[in-house]
Short mmCIF file of all heavy atoms in Angstrom, two decimals:
data_model
loop_
_atom_site.label_atom_id
_atom_site.label_comp_id
_atom_site.label_asym_id
_atom_site.label_seq_id
_atom_site.Cartn_x
_atom_site.Cartn_y
_atom_site.Cartn_z
N THR X 1 -2.65 9.89 4.77
CA THR X 1 -1.96 8.87 3.94
C THR X 1 -1.69 9.32 2.53
O THR X 1 -2.56 9.97 1.95
CB THR X 1 -2.73 7.61 3.96
OG1 THR X 1 -2.90 7.13 5.25
CG2 THR X 1 -2.06 6.51 3.18
N SER X 2 -0.53 9.05 2.00
CA SER X 2 -0.16 9.37 0.58
C SER X 2 0.45 8.14 0.04
O SER X 2 1.27 7.46 0.68
CB SER X 2 0.74 10.53 0.43
OG SER X 2 0.15 11.73 0.94
N ILE X 3 0.04 7.80 -1.18
CA ILE X 3 0.67 6.74 -1.95
C ILE X 3 1.16 7.29 -3.30
O ILE X 3 0.39 7.97 -3.98
CB ILE X 3 -0.20 5.54 -2.26
CG1 ILE X 3 -0.65 4.90 -0.88
CG2 ILE X 3 0.44 4.47 -3.13
CD1 ILE X 3 -1.74 3.88 -1.01
N SER X 4 2.44 7.03 -3.65
CA SER X 4 2.96 7.55 -4.87
C SER X 4 3.84 6.49 -5.55
O SER X 4 3.97 5.36 -4.97
CB SER X 4 3.78 8.82 -4.58
OG SER X 4 4.78 8.52 -3.70
N ARG X 5 4.40 6.72 -6.64
CA ARG X 5 5.15 5.78 -7.35
C ARG X 5 6.37 6.34 -8.11
O ARG X 5 6.30 7.61 -8.47
CB ARG X 5 4.30 4.95 -8.30
CG ARG X 5 3.79 5.75 -9.53
CD ARG X 5 2.93 4.86 -10.40
NE ARG X 5 2.60 5.55 -11.65
CZ ARG X 5 1.87 5.01 -12.65
NH1 ARG X 5 1.50 3.80 -12.53
NH2 ARG X 5 1.55 5.71 -13.70
N ASP X 6 7.27 5.55 -8.37
CA ASP X 6 8.52 5.91 -9.22
C ASP X 6 8.60 4.90 -10.29
O ASP X 6 9.08 3.83 -10.04
CB ASP X 6 9.75 6.04 -8.29
CG ASP X 6 10.90 6.52 -9.18
OD1 ASP X 6 10.95 6.41 -10.36
OD2 ASP X 6 11.93 7.01 -8.49
N THR X 7 8.12 5.11 -11.43
CA THR X 7 7.97 4.13 -12.41
C THR X 7 9.41 3.78 -13.00
O THR X 7 9.64 2.67 -13.46
CB THR X 7 7.14 4.64 -13.62
OG1 THR X 7 7.57 5.79 -14.16
CG2 THR X 7 5.73 4.76 -13.18
N SER X 8 10.37 4.74 -12.83
CA SER X 8 11.71 4.43 -13.32
C SER X 8 12.41 3.41 -12.43
O SER X 8 13.22 2.64 -12.97
CB SER X 8 12.56 5.67 -13.37
OG SER X 8 12.84 6.14 -12.08
N LYS X 9 11.96 3.31 -11.22
CA LYS X 9 12.48 2.29 -10.34
C LYS X 9 11.53 1.08 -10.10
O LYS X 9 11.87 0.17 -9.34
CB LYS X 9 12.85 2.93 -8.98
CG LYS X 9 13.85 3.98 -8.99
CD LYS X 9 14.12 4.64 -7.64
CE LYS X 9 15.19 5.68 -7.71
NZ LYS X 9 15.49 6.30 -6.36
N ASN X 10 10.40 1.21 -10.67
CA ASN X 10 9.29 0.16 -10.50
C ASN X 10 9.01 0.02 -8.93
O ASN X 10 8.95 -1.16 -8.47
CB ASN X 10 9.72 -1.18 -11.09
CG ASN X 10 8.49 -1.95 -11.63
OD1 ASN X 10 7.55 -1.35 -12.27
ND2 ASN X 10 8.54 -3.28 -11.50
N GLN X 11 8.82 1.21 -8.37
CA GLN X 11 8.57 1.20 -6.95
C GLN X 11 7.33 2.02 -6.61
O GLN X 11 7.00 2.99 -7.32
CB GLN X 11 9.71 1.77 -6.15
CG GLN X 11 11.00 0.94 -6.20
CD GLN X 11 12.12 1.67 -5.52
OE1 GLN X 11 12.21 2.94 -5.48
NE2 GLN X 11 13.05 0.90 -4.90
N PHE X 12 6.57 1.71 -5.50
CA PHE X 12 5.59 2.58 -5.04
C PHE X 12 5.79 2.67 -3.51
O PHE X 12 6.29 1.84 -2.89
CB PHE X 12 4.14 2.17 -5.42
CG PHE X 12 3.69 0.84 -4.94
CD1 PHE X 12 2.84 0.67 -3.85
CD2 PHE X 12 4.18 -0.37 -5.53
CE1 PHE X 12 2.33 -0.52 -3.41
CE2 PHE X 12 3.70 -1.59 -5.07
CZ PHE X 12 2.74 -1.63 -4.02
N THR X 13 5.31 3.87 -3.05
CA THR X 13 5.65 4.25 -1.66
C THR X 13 4.36 4.53 -0.86
O THR X 13 3.35 4.89 -1.43
CB THR X 13 6.52 5.45 -1.62
OG1 THR X 13 5.91 6.64 -2.19
CG2 THR X 13 7.83 5.22 -2.37
N LEU X 14 4.53 4.37 0.45
CA LEU X 14 3.43 4.66 1.39
C LEU X 14 4.01 5.68 2.31
O LEU X 14 5.07 5.49 2.89
CB LEU X 14 2.98 3.39 2.12
CG LEU X 14 2.08 3.65 3.34
CD1 LEU X 14 0.71 4.09 2.86
CD2 LEU X 14 2.04 2.30 4.22
N GLN X 15 3.19 6.72 2.65
CA GLN X 15 3.51 7.70 3.76
C GLN X 15 2.35 7.82 4.61
O GLN X 15 1.22 8.11 4.09
CB GLN X 15 3.97 9.06 3.21
CG GLN X 15 5.32 9.01 2.48
CD GLN X 15 5.77 10.43 2.23
OE1 GLN X 15 5.11 11.26 1.74
NE2 GLN X 15 7.13 10.64 2.47
N VAL X 16 2.47 7.68 5.87
CA VAL X 16 1.48 7.87 6.86
C VAL X 16 1.96 8.97 7.77
O VAL X 16 2.94 8.71 8.49
CB VAL X 16 1.10 6.65 7.67
CG1 VAL X 16 -0.06 6.94 8.61
CG2 VAL X 16 0.59 5.57 6.64
N ARG X 17 1.24 10.13 7.87
CA ARG X 17 1.66 11.22 8.68
C ARG X 17 1.09 11.13 10.17
O ARG X 17 0.10 10.51 10.31
CB ARG X 17 1.33 12.52 8.06
CG ARG X 17 1.95 12.76 6.69
CD ARG X 17 1.46 14.05 6.06
NE ARG X 17 0.08 13.90 5.64
CZ ARG X 17 -0.39 13.38 4.47
NH1 ARG X 17 0.49 12.93 3.56
NH2 ARG X 17 -1.70 13.32 4.21
N SER X 18 1.75 11.83 11.04
CA SER X 18 1.22 11.93 12.38
C SER X 18 0.87 10.57 13.02
O SER X 18 -0.20 10.38 13.54
CB SER X 18 0.00 12.91 12.39
OG SER X 18 0.28 14.15 11.85
N VAL X 19 1.83 9.68 12.97
CA VAL X 19 1.57 8.37 13.43
C VAL X 19 1.43 8.30 14.98
O VAL X 19 1.99 9.16 15.69
CB VAL X 19 2.59 7.39 12.99
CG1 VAL X 19 2.66 7.27 11.46
CG2 VAL X 19 3.98 7.73 13.48
N THR X 20 0.73 7.34 15.46
CA THR X 20 0.59 6.96 16.84
C THR X 20 0.85 5.51 17.06
O THR X 20 1.07 4.78 16.15
CB THR X 20 -0.94 7.24 17.31
OG1 THR X 20 -1.78 6.25 16.86
CG2 THR X 20 -1.37 8.67 16.80
N PRO X 21 0.94 5.08 18.29
CA PRO X 21 1.23 3.64 18.51
C PRO X 21 0.10 2.76 17.91
O PRO X 21 0.39 1.54 17.59
CB PRO X 21 1.14 3.54 20.09
CG PRO X 21 1.70 4.86 20.53
CD PRO X 21 1.09 5.80 19.56
N GLU X 22 -1.10 3.27 17.65
CA GLU X 22 -2.12 2.42 16.96
C GLU X 22 -1.73 2.15 15.46
O GLU X 22 -2.42 1.25 14.91
CB GLU X 22 -3.43 3.24 16.94
CG GLU X 22 -4.02 3.47 18.35
CD GLU X 22 -4.29 2.18 19.09
OE1 GLU X 22 -4.93 1.26 18.53
OE2 GLU X 22 -3.84 2.07 20.27
N ASP X 23 -0.70 2.80 14.99
CA ASP X 23 -0.24 2.48 13.65
C ASP X 23 0.75 1.36 13.58
O ASP X 23 1.21 1.00 12.51
CB ASP X 23 0.35 3.77 12.98
CG ASP X 23 -0.75 4.77 12.69
OD1 ASP X 23 -1.70 4.45 12.06
OD2 ASP X 23 -0.51 5.96 13.18
N THR X 24 1.16 0.89 14.80
CA THR X 24 1.95 -0.29 14.83
C THR X 24 1.42 -1.50 14.19
O THR X 24 0.27 -1.82 14.52
CB THR X 24 2.40 -0.60 16.26
OG1 THR X 24 3.13 0.49 16.84
CG2 THR X 24 3.21 -1.86 16.35
N ALA X 25 2.06 -2.13 13.27
CA ALA X 25 1.48 -3.20 12.41
C ALA X 25 2.58 -3.82 11.60
O ALA X 25 3.67 -3.30 11.44
CB ALA X 25 0.35 -2.73 11.66
N VAL X 26 2.26 -4.99 11.03
CA VAL X 26 3.00 -5.52 9.89
C VAL X 26 2.40 -4.91 8.66
O VAL X 26 1.18 -5.00 8.39
CB VAL X 26 2.94 -7.06 9.83
CG1 VAL X 26 3.70 -7.56 8.58
CG2 VAL X 26 3.62 -7.63 11.14
N TYR X 27 3.19 -4.31 7.84
CA TYR X 27 2.75 -3.69 6.61
C TYR X 27 3.17 -4.49 5.39
O TYR X 27 4.30 -4.95 5.35
CB TYR X 27 3.46 -2.31 6.54
CG TYR X 27 2.78 -1.26 7.42
CD1 TYR X 27 3.05 -1.23 8.83
CD2 TYR X 27 1.91 -0.33 6.94
CE1 TYR X 27 2.52 -0.41 9.66
CE2 TYR X 27 1.33 0.65 7.81
CZ TYR X 27 1.58 0.64 9.22
OH TYR X 27 0.99 1.51 10.05
N TYR X 28 2.20 -4.66 4.57
CA TYR X 28 2.33 -5.47 3.36
C TYR X 28 2.10 -4.63 2.13
O TYR X 28 1.20 -3.81 2.16
CB TYR X 28 1.40 -6.61 3.29
CG TYR X 28 1.50 -7.64 4.48
CD1 TYR X 28 0.79 -7.50 5.57
CD2 TYR X 28 2.35 -8.73 4.31
CE1 TYR X 28 0.81 -8.42 6.62
CE2 TYR X 28 2.39 -9.62 5.32
CZ TYR X 28 1.63 -9.49 6.47
OH TYR X 28 1.74 -10.42 7.44
N CYS X 29 2.80 -4.89 1.09
CA CYS X 29 2.34 -4.48 -0.27
C CYS X 29 1.80 -5.70 -1.05
O CYS X 29 2.35 -6.81 -0.75
CB CYS X 29 3.44 -3.77 -1.03
SG CYS X 29 5.02 -4.53 -1.27
N ALA X 30 0.91 -5.50 -1.89
CA ALA X 30 0.32 -6.56 -2.66
C ALA X 30 -0.33 -6.07 -3.98
O ALA X 30 -0.74 -4.98 -4.10
CB ALA X 30 -0.78 -7.28 -1.77
N ARG X 31 -0.45 -7.01 -4.93
CA ARG X 31 -1.06 -6.71 -6.20
C ARG X 31 -2.41 -7.25 -6.31
O ARG X 31 -2.71 -8.36 -5.83
CB ARG X 31 -0.20 -7.30 -7.29
CG ARG X 31 -0.60 -6.80 -8.73
CD ARG X 31 0.20 -7.41 -9.85
NE ARG X 31 -0.21 -8.77 -10.14
CZ ARG X 31 0.17 -9.36 -11.23
NH1 ARG X 31 1.02 -8.82 -12.12
NH2 ARG X 31 -0.24 -10.63 -11.49
N ARG X 32 -3.35 -6.48 -6.83
CA ARG X 32 -4.68 -6.86 -7.07
C ARG X 32 -5.11 -6.75 -8.54
O ARG X 32 -5.03 -5.52 -9.05
CB ARG X 32 -5.72 -6.18 -6.17
CG ARG X 32 -7.19 -6.71 -6.29
CD ARG X 32 -8.16 -6.01 -5.49
NE ARG X 32 -8.33 -4.60 -5.91
CZ ARG X 32 -9.10 -4.25 -6.88
NH1 ARG X 32 -9.86 -5.12 -7.71
NH2 ARG X 32 -9.21 -3.00 -7.33
N PRO X 33 -5.45 -7.75 -9.23
CA PRO X 33 -6.00 -7.53 -10.55
C PRO X 33 -7.28 -6.81 -10.45
O PRO X 33 -8.07 -6.88 -9.62
CB PRO X 33 -6.13 -8.91 -11.11
CG PRO X 33 -5.37 -9.87 -10.21
CD PRO X 33 -5.38 -9.16 -8.97
N ALA X 34 -7.61 -6.03 -11.54
CA ALA X 34 -8.90 -5.27 -11.59
C ALA X 34 -10.13 -6.10 -11.50
O ALA X 34 -11.14 -5.67 -11.03
CB ALA X 34 -8.88 -4.40 -12.77
N SER X 35 -10.00 -7.34 -11.92
CA SER X 35 -11.08 -8.34 -11.94
C SER X 35 -11.42 -8.84 -10.63
O SER X 35 -12.49 -9.44 -10.44
CB SER X 35 -10.90 -9.37 -12.94
OG SER X 35 -9.77 -10.10 -12.63
N ARG X 36 -10.56 -8.66 -9.57
CA ARG X 36 -10.83 -9.29 -8.29
C ARG X 36 -11.50 -8.24 -7.40
O ARG X 36 -11.48 -7.07 -7.58
CB ARG X 36 -9.45 -9.68 -7.68
CG ARG X 36 -8.63 -10.59 -8.47
CD ARG X 36 -9.06 -12.03 -8.34
NE ARG X 36 -8.17 -12.92 -9.06
CZ ARG X 36 -7.10 -13.53 -8.38
NH1 ARG X 36 -6.90 -13.28 -7.11
NH2 ARG X 36 -6.27 -14.29 -9.04
N SER X 37 -12.22 -8.81 -6.32
CA SER X 37 -12.83 -7.98 -5.36
C SER X 37 -11.79 -7.23 -4.48
O SER X 37 -10.66 -7.72 -4.29
CB SER X 37 -13.77 -8.83 -4.54
OG SER X 37 -13.04 -9.74 -3.77
N TRP X 38 -12.33 -6.10 -3.94
CA TRP X 38 -11.50 -5.28 -3.03
C TRP X 38 -11.42 -5.79 -1.64
O TRP X 38 -10.40 -5.59 -0.88
CB TRP X 38 -12.06 -3.81 -3.03
CG TRP X 38 -11.82 -3.03 -4.26
CD1 TRP X 38 -12.69 -3.06 -5.36
CD2 TRP X 38 -10.85 -2.12 -4.45
NE1 TRP X 38 -12.22 -2.15 -6.25
CE2 TRP X 38 -11.06 -1.57 -5.78
CE3 TRP X 38 -9.72 -1.73 -3.75
CZ2 TRP X 38 -10.19 -0.65 -6.34
CZ3 TRP X 38 -8.89 -0.68 -4.28
CH2 TRP X 38 -9.13 -0.27 -5.60
N GLY X 39 -12.50 -6.45 -1.18
CA GLY X 39 -12.71 -6.59 0.28
C GLY X 39 -12.06 -7.80 0.95
O GLY X 39 -12.14 -7.96 2.13
N THR X 40 -11.40 -8.68 0.30
CA THR X 40 -10.93 -9.97 0.84
C THR X 40 -9.47 -10.14 0.45
O THR X 40 -9.02 -9.63 -0.59
CB THR X 40 -11.70 -11.14 0.45
OG1 THR X 40 -11.49 -11.44 -0.99
CG2 THR X 40 -13.17 -10.92 0.75
N SER X 41 -8.78 -10.91 1.33
CA SER X 41 -7.35 -11.18 0.97
C SER X 41 -7.19 -12.04 -0.31
O SER X 41 -6.19 -12.01 -0.92
CB SER X 41 -6.67 -11.96 2.08
OG SER X 41 -7.34 -13.18 2.46
N ALA X 42 -8.27 -12.80 -0.67
CA ALA X 42 -8.24 -13.52 -1.89
C ALA X 42 -8.18 -12.70 -3.11
O ALA X 42 -7.93 -13.22 -4.23
CB ALA X 42 -9.48 -14.46 -1.96
N GLY X 43 -8.42 -11.43 -2.99
CA GLY X 43 -8.40 -10.53 -4.12
C GLY X 43 -7.02 -10.16 -4.61
O GLY X 43 -6.83 -9.66 -5.70
#
């Protein structure tokens, strides 16, 4: 997995190499403030 960004476009990207059917999913991007916990959706 690689995550990168393009600040000029205000975008960030995800790359997952060598995918298999187990990678089938709904993929979300989301923002987390530093003050929130990592482990729950409430973060």
Side-chain angles (χ1 to χ4, degrees):
T1 302
S2 297
I3 298 173
S4 58
R5 68 181 186 177
D6 184 339
T7 58
S8 69
K9 297 180 180 179
N10 214 39
Q11 295 176 330
F12 62 105
T13 62
L14 170 73
Q15 291 190 318
V16 182
R17 298 176 292 276
S18 302
V19 298
T20 75
E22 297 300 312
D23 294 307
T24 294
V26 177
Y27 285 75
Y28 300 91
C29 53
R31 189 180 82 165
R32 184 183 68 81
S35 60
R36 305 280 189 90
S37 64
W38 289 85
T40 68
S41 61

